[in-house]
Short mmCIF file of all heavy atoms in Angstrom, two decimals:
data_model
loop_
_atom_site.label_atom_id
_atom_site.label_comp_id
_atom_site.label_asym_id
_atom_site.label_seq_id
_atom_site.Cartn_x
_atom_site.Cartn_y
_atom_site.Cartn_z
N GLY A 93 -1.87 -5.87 -29.40
CA GLY A 93 -0.63 -5.68 -28.74
C GLY A 93 -0.55 -6.57 -27.46
O GLY A 93 -1.61 -6.88 -26.88
N VAL A 94 0.62 -6.99 -27.12
CA VAL A 94 0.79 -7.78 -25.93
C VAL A 94 0.37 -7.15 -24.59
O VAL A 94 -0.10 -7.90 -23.72
CB VAL A 94 2.22 -8.44 -25.88
CG1 VAL A 94 3.25 -7.43 -25.48
CG2 VAL A 94 2.20 -9.64 -25.07
N VAL A 95 0.46 -5.85 -24.58
CA VAL A 95 -0.02 -5.12 -23.45
C VAL A 95 -1.32 -4.50 -23.79
O VAL A 95 -1.43 -3.40 -24.33
CB VAL A 95 1.00 -4.01 -22.96
CG1 VAL A 95 0.51 -3.39 -21.78
CG2 VAL A 95 2.48 -4.68 -22.75
N SER A 96 -2.38 -5.24 -23.55
CA SER A 96 -3.71 -4.84 -23.85
C SER A 96 -4.64 -5.43 -22.95
O SER A 96 -4.50 -6.58 -22.48
CB SER A 96 -4.05 -5.09 -25.36
OG SER A 96 -4.12 -6.49 -25.46
N PRO A 97 -5.87 -4.77 -22.71
CA PRO A 97 -6.89 -5.42 -21.88
C PRO A 97 -7.41 -6.78 -22.51
O PRO A 97 -7.63 -7.70 -21.81
CB PRO A 97 -7.99 -4.47 -21.84
CG PRO A 97 -7.47 -3.16 -22.45
CD PRO A 97 -6.23 -3.46 -23.11
N GLN A 98 -7.41 -6.81 -23.96
CA GLN A 98 -7.90 -7.91 -24.57
C GLN A 98 -6.99 -9.18 -24.28
O GLN A 98 -7.43 -10.31 -24.03
CB GLN A 98 -8.00 -7.77 -26.07
CG GLN A 98 -9.01 -6.74 -26.49
CD GLN A 98 -8.52 -5.23 -26.47
OE1 GLN A 98 -7.48 -4.95 -25.94
NE2 GLN A 98 -9.33 -4.37 -26.96
N VAL A 99 -5.63 -9.00 -24.33
CA VAL A 99 -4.69 -10.05 -24.05
C VAL A 99 -4.67 -10.43 -22.59
O VAL A 99 -4.66 -11.60 -22.23
CB VAL A 99 -3.25 -9.60 -24.56
CG1 VAL A 99 -2.24 -10.66 -24.07
CG2 VAL A 99 -3.22 -9.70 -26.07
N ALA A 100 -4.77 -9.43 -21.70
CA ALA A 100 -4.86 -9.72 -20.28
C ALA A 100 -6.06 -10.54 -19.89
O ALA A 100 -5.99 -11.57 -19.17
CB ALA A 100 -4.89 -8.38 -19.46
N LEU A 101 -7.20 -10.22 -20.53
CA LEU A 101 -8.38 -10.99 -20.26
C LEU A 101 -8.27 -12.50 -20.81
O LEU A 101 -8.72 -13.34 -20.13
CB LEU A 101 -9.64 -10.30 -20.88
CG LEU A 101 -10.93 -11.06 -20.70
CD1 LEU A 101 -11.23 -11.29 -19.17
CD2 LEU A 101 -12.08 -10.26 -21.29
N LYS A 102 -7.76 -12.63 -22.02
CA LYS A 102 -7.65 -13.90 -22.57
C LYS A 102 -6.68 -14.75 -21.77
O LYS A 102 -6.85 -15.96 -21.52
CB LYS A 102 -7.17 -13.77 -24.06
CG LYS A 102 -7.04 -15.13 -24.67
CD LYS A 102 -8.34 -15.94 -24.82
CE LYS A 102 -9.21 -15.46 -25.86
NZ LYS A 102 -10.45 -16.41 -26.06
N MET A 103 -5.61 -14.16 -21.28
CA MET A 103 -4.69 -14.88 -20.33
C MET A 103 -5.38 -15.34 -19.11
O MET A 103 -5.23 -16.50 -18.71
CB MET A 103 -3.51 -13.97 -19.94
CG MET A 103 -2.56 -13.57 -21.02
SD MET A 103 -1.33 -12.30 -20.53
CE MET A 103 -0.48 -13.11 -19.16
N ALA A 104 -6.26 -14.57 -18.51
CA ALA A 104 -7.03 -14.92 -17.32
C ALA A 104 -7.98 -16.04 -17.68
O ALA A 104 -8.12 -17.00 -16.91
CB ALA A 104 -7.70 -13.67 -16.72
N VAL A 105 -8.71 -15.82 -18.72
CA VAL A 105 -9.74 -16.85 -19.09
C VAL A 105 -9.03 -18.26 -19.29
O VAL A 105 -9.56 -19.27 -18.89
CB VAL A 105 -10.51 -16.38 -20.31
CG1 VAL A 105 -11.33 -17.48 -20.96
CG2 VAL A 105 -11.37 -15.20 -19.99
N ARG A 106 -7.97 -18.22 -20.11
CA ARG A 106 -7.26 -19.47 -20.44
C ARG A 106 -6.72 -20.12 -19.11
O ARG A 106 -6.75 -21.27 -18.95
CB ARG A 106 -6.22 -19.29 -21.49
CG ARG A 106 -6.77 -18.84 -22.89
CD ARG A 106 -7.51 -20.03 -23.52
NE ARG A 106 -6.60 -21.19 -23.64
CZ ARG A 106 -6.92 -22.45 -23.48
NH1 ARG A 106 -8.11 -22.77 -23.27
NH2 ARG A 106 -6.01 -23.39 -23.54
N ALA A 107 -6.07 -19.27 -18.31
CA ALA A 107 -5.42 -19.85 -17.06
C ALA A 107 -6.49 -20.49 -16.23
O ALA A 107 -6.28 -21.55 -15.65
CB ALA A 107 -4.72 -18.75 -16.34
N ARG A 108 -7.62 -19.87 -16.04
CA ARG A 108 -8.80 -20.31 -15.26
C ARG A 108 -9.25 -21.67 -15.78
O ARG A 108 -9.52 -22.61 -15.02
CB ARG A 108 -9.92 -19.31 -15.22
CG ARG A 108 -11.10 -19.85 -14.39
CD ARG A 108 -12.14 -18.75 -14.24
NE ARG A 108 -13.23 -19.25 -13.56
CZ ARG A 108 -14.40 -19.71 -14.10
NH1 ARG A 108 -14.58 -19.52 -15.41
NH2 ARG A 108 -15.41 -20.18 -13.32
N LYS A 109 -9.33 -21.75 -17.07
CA LYS A 109 -9.83 -22.91 -17.75
C LYS A 109 -8.83 -24.06 -17.54
O LYS A 109 -9.20 -25.17 -17.24
CB LYS A 109 -10.07 -22.72 -19.19
CG LYS A 109 -10.65 -23.98 -19.99
CD LYS A 109 -11.03 -23.65 -21.32
CE LYS A 109 -11.52 -24.88 -22.08
NZ LYS A 109 -11.90 -24.74 -23.38
N ILE A 110 -7.58 -23.80 -17.73
CA ILE A 110 -6.55 -24.87 -17.64
C ILE A 110 -6.52 -25.42 -16.26
O ILE A 110 -6.42 -26.65 -16.00
CB ILE A 110 -5.16 -24.29 -18.08
CG1 ILE A 110 -5.18 -23.98 -19.58
CG2 ILE A 110 -3.99 -25.28 -17.66
CD1 ILE A 110 -3.98 -23.23 -20.01
N VAL A 111 -6.53 -24.56 -15.24
CA VAL A 111 -6.30 -25.03 -13.84
C VAL A 111 -7.70 -25.32 -13.26
O VAL A 111 -7.79 -25.99 -12.14
CB VAL A 111 -5.60 -23.93 -13.06
CG1 VAL A 111 -5.29 -24.41 -11.56
CG2 VAL A 111 -4.28 -23.60 -13.68
N ALA A 112 -8.83 -24.91 -13.79
CA ALA A 112 -10.17 -25.17 -13.29
C ALA A 112 -10.33 -24.53 -11.89
O ALA A 112 -10.78 -25.22 -10.96
CB ALA A 112 -10.49 -26.68 -13.25
N THR A 113 -10.11 -23.29 -11.81
CA THR A 113 -10.26 -22.49 -10.59
C THR A 113 -11.50 -21.65 -10.65
O THR A 113 -12.14 -21.40 -11.80
CB THR A 113 -9.14 -21.65 -10.27
OG1 THR A 113 -8.85 -20.80 -11.39
CG2 THR A 113 -7.89 -22.46 -9.87
N ASP A 114 -11.96 -21.04 -9.51
CA ASP A 114 -13.05 -20.15 -9.54
C ASP A 114 -12.69 -18.74 -10.19
O ASP A 114 -13.57 -18.18 -10.83
CB ASP A 114 -13.53 -19.93 -8.13
CG ASP A 114 -14.04 -21.16 -7.45
OD1 ASP A 114 -15.12 -21.71 -7.97
OD2 ASP A 114 -13.42 -21.63 -6.46
N PHE A 115 -11.50 -18.37 -9.96
CA PHE A 115 -10.98 -17.11 -10.44
C PHE A 115 -9.63 -17.23 -11.05
O PHE A 115 -8.75 -18.06 -10.69
CB PHE A 115 -10.90 -15.98 -9.38
CG PHE A 115 -12.28 -15.72 -8.92
CD1 PHE A 115 -12.75 -16.22 -7.66
CD2 PHE A 115 -13.15 -14.86 -9.55
CE1 PHE A 115 -13.99 -15.90 -7.15
CE2 PHE A 115 -14.40 -14.45 -8.99
CZ PHE A 115 -14.86 -15.04 -7.87
N ALA A 116 -9.28 -16.27 -11.91
CA ALA A 116 -7.90 -16.13 -12.38
C ALA A 116 -7.62 -14.65 -12.60
O ALA A 116 -8.38 -13.83 -13.02
CB ALA A 116 -7.72 -16.84 -13.77
N LEU A 117 -6.34 -14.34 -12.22
CA LEU A 117 -5.86 -12.96 -12.53
C LEU A 117 -4.72 -13.03 -13.47
O LEU A 117 -3.91 -14.01 -13.41
CB LEU A 117 -5.32 -12.35 -11.17
CG LEU A 117 -6.38 -11.66 -10.27
CD1 LEU A 117 -5.79 -11.34 -8.95
CD2 LEU A 117 -7.03 -10.50 -10.95
N ALA A 118 -4.65 -12.11 -14.37
CA ALA A 118 -3.57 -12.09 -15.30
C ALA A 118 -2.94 -10.71 -15.42
O ALA A 118 -3.63 -9.70 -15.43
CB ALA A 118 -4.01 -12.52 -16.75
N PHE A 119 -1.64 -10.66 -15.52
CA PHE A 119 -0.85 -9.43 -15.64
C PHE A 119 0.02 -9.38 -16.82
O PHE A 119 0.79 -10.29 -17.07
CB PHE A 119 0.10 -9.37 -14.34
CG PHE A 119 -0.62 -9.48 -13.03
CD1 PHE A 119 -0.87 -10.74 -12.51
CD2 PHE A 119 -0.96 -8.39 -12.24
CE1 PHE A 119 -1.59 -10.92 -11.29
CE2 PHE A 119 -1.59 -8.52 -11.04
CZ PHE A 119 -1.95 -9.82 -10.60
N THR A 120 -0.13 -8.27 -17.66
CA THR A 120 0.71 -7.99 -18.77
C THR A 120 1.05 -6.49 -18.77
O THR A 120 0.11 -5.81 -18.45
CB THR A 120 0.14 -8.59 -19.99
OG1 THR A 120 1.14 -8.39 -21.11
CG2 THR A 120 -1.20 -7.86 -20.42
N GLY A 121 2.24 -6.17 -19.08
CA GLY A 121 2.66 -4.79 -19.08
C GLY A 121 4.02 -4.55 -19.38
O GLY A 121 4.82 -5.44 -19.65
N ALA A 122 4.46 -3.29 -19.24
CA ALA A 122 5.78 -2.80 -19.45
C ALA A 122 6.31 -2.27 -18.18
O ALA A 122 5.96 -1.16 -17.78
CB ALA A 122 5.78 -1.75 -20.57
N ALA A 123 7.18 -3.08 -17.40
CA ALA A 123 7.78 -2.64 -16.17
C ALA A 123 9.09 -1.85 -16.36
O ALA A 123 9.50 -1.13 -15.45
CB ALA A 123 7.98 -3.83 -15.24
N GLY A 124 9.56 -1.90 -17.53
CA GLY A 124 10.83 -1.11 -17.79
C GLY A 124 12.06 -2.00 -17.74
O GLY A 124 11.93 -3.15 -17.52
N PRO A 125 13.22 -1.40 -17.94
CA PRO A 125 13.39 0.05 -17.94
C PRO A 125 12.99 0.76 -19.28
O PRO A 125 13.05 1.95 -19.32
CB PRO A 125 14.91 0.13 -17.76
CG PRO A 125 15.42 -1.10 -18.33
CD PRO A 125 14.46 -2.15 -18.06
N ASN A 126 12.75 -0.05 -20.30
CA ASN A 126 12.41 0.52 -21.66
C ASN A 126 10.94 0.20 -22.00
O ASN A 126 10.32 -0.67 -21.50
CB ASN A 126 13.30 -0.04 -22.68
CG ASN A 126 14.76 0.27 -22.42
OD1 ASN A 126 15.15 1.32 -22.08
ND2 ASN A 126 15.65 -0.79 -22.51
N ASP A 127 10.46 1.07 -22.96
CA ASP A 127 9.09 0.79 -23.53
C ASP A 127 9.04 -0.67 -24.14
O ASP A 127 10.11 -1.23 -24.44
CB ASP A 127 8.77 1.80 -24.58
CG ASP A 127 8.56 3.19 -24.07
OD1 ASP A 127 8.68 3.44 -22.85
OD2 ASP A 127 8.30 4.12 -24.95
#
Side-chain angles (χ1 to χ4, degrees):
V94 72
V95 180
S96 65
Q98 294 86 351
V99 169
L101 179 57
K102 183 59 82 169
M103 289 170 64
V105 167
R106 292 290 303 142
R108 179 176 178 258
K109 183 177 181 180
I110 292 167
V111 184
T113 54
D114 296 299
F115 295 100
L117 281 168
F119 303 83
T120 185
N126 302 314
D127 290 359

